[in-house]
Amino acid sequence: VFDRTVKQPGCGGKRREVVLVSGYSGSGKSSVVQQSIKTCLNENGSYLIHGKFDERMQQAQPLSAVVSAFDSYCAALLEGKRSGLEEVRSSIRDAIGGDSEVLTGLIPKLSQVIGESPAAKNVDVRGQEAQNRLNFIFCKFVRAISSRSCPVVLFLDDLHWADDDSLELIYMLTEDEHSNFLLVGCFRDNEVGEGHPLKSQIQRMEETGVIVTSI
């Protein structure tokens, strides 16, 4: 899937695919995914961004796993664990420009990456208009940090605990045909029945042409 989505030359648009791994708690889903991704990254020079949803944060802090994942990515850039800080900084500035405060209010270390003061307050993602704006800017941000030479793999664990805002952002990221980006997720299938928000979002992806590889 990685080769098809982020390494295949674009011909009339890129393939939009996600990989979802399901199973019972303790079945080794996360370990299998992380080992597989590491092998892929070692071969292709890509970058793994990892976030994990927490049941306690589901309502208290929307987007917690996604924010944590990209904040860790920014920290790695600042600590020199990833090369190309200046190139990434320039790319992000060009992509989000005057809308940077929308993301720096969510991702604390992003302000240091792009060389701006932290946003004065947290971003309010309540309301459809605010959420749409955030998702649009977030997609531009992900596009800016992903490239054919260094694609990004976002691994989100425990998707069964994802909040509605996170699920909507995930859907928007999978809809973006311009990113050298792959989403991999894990969830407990015994906790995702008919009517579960994750189940509904997966069906929505498939209906709009996203290829969902289920393991």
Side-chain angles (χ1 to χ4, degrees), residues 156-187:
L156 294 175
D157 205 353
D158 287 341
L159 277 172
H160 51 279
W161 283 327
D163 56 275
D164 291 340
D165 290 340
S166 294
L167 290 175
E168 183 64 22
L169 175 57
I170 288 168
Y171 170 77
M172 294 303 297
L173 288 171
T174 64
E175 281 290 286
D176 189 351
E177 298 183 1
H178 304 287
S179 294
N180 293 284
F181 169 83
L182 175 65
L183 171 70
V184 180
C186 276
F187 65 93

Side-chain angles (χ1 to χ4, degrees), residues 28-191:
K29 304 181 300 297
S30 302
S31 298
V32 168
V33 170
Q34 292 195 58
Q35 187 57 48
S36 299
I37 291 176
K38 284 179 181 178
T39 300
C40 186
L41 300 189
N42 289 337
E43 294 175 353
N44 294 286
S46 307
Y47 190 76
L48 170 66
I49 300 176
H50 179 205
K52 184 179 177 71
F53 288 99
D54 187 324
E55 185 177 22
R56 296 167 297 179
M57 305 297 289
Q58 191 175 31
Q59 300 301 326
Q61 189 175 339
L63 301 171
S64 60
V66 179
V67 166
S68 174
F70 283 97
D71 202 45
S72 296
Y73 165 80
C74 291
L77 278 173
L78 294 166
E79 293 167 7
K81 295 178 182 178
R82 295 293 302 174
S83 60
L85 173 58
E86 291 301 325
E87 181 180 351
V88 172
R89 173 179 291 150
S90 177
S91 182
I92 295 174
R93 283 175 172 173
D94 290 344
I96 62 178
D99 292 320
S100 60
E101 188 173 287
V102 174
L103 294 188
T104 57
L106 278 175
I107 307 171
K109 290 185 173 61
L110 177 60
S111 60
Q112 299 176 52
V113 169
I114 61 178
E116 295 183 5
S117 299
K121 59 181 179 179
N122 291 332
V123 175
D124 186 359
V125 297
R126 292 172 296 182
Q128 193 61 52
E129 184 177 350
Q131 186 184 59
N132 289 344
R133 181 172 181 241
L134 171 64
N135 291 345
F136 176 70
I137 296 169
F138 214 110
C139 286
K140 293 202 295 182
F141 165 65
V142 171
R143 201 180 306 162
I145 66 173
S146 310
S147 65
R148 187 165 297 281
S149 60
C150 187
V152 166
V153 178
L154 174 61
F155 171 39
L156 294 175
D157 205 353
D158 287 341
L159 277 172
H160 51 279
W161 283 327
D163 56 275
D164 291 340
D165 290 340
S166 294
L167 290 175
E168 183 64 22
L169 175 57
I170 288 168
Y171 170 77
M172 294 303 297
L173 288 171
T174 64
E175 281 290 286
D176 189 351
E177 298 183 1
H178 304 287
S179 294
N180 293 284
F181 169 83
L182 175 65
L183 171 70
V184 180
C186 276
F187 65 93
R188 299 176 188 172
D189 52 0
N190 60 306
E191 296 193 26

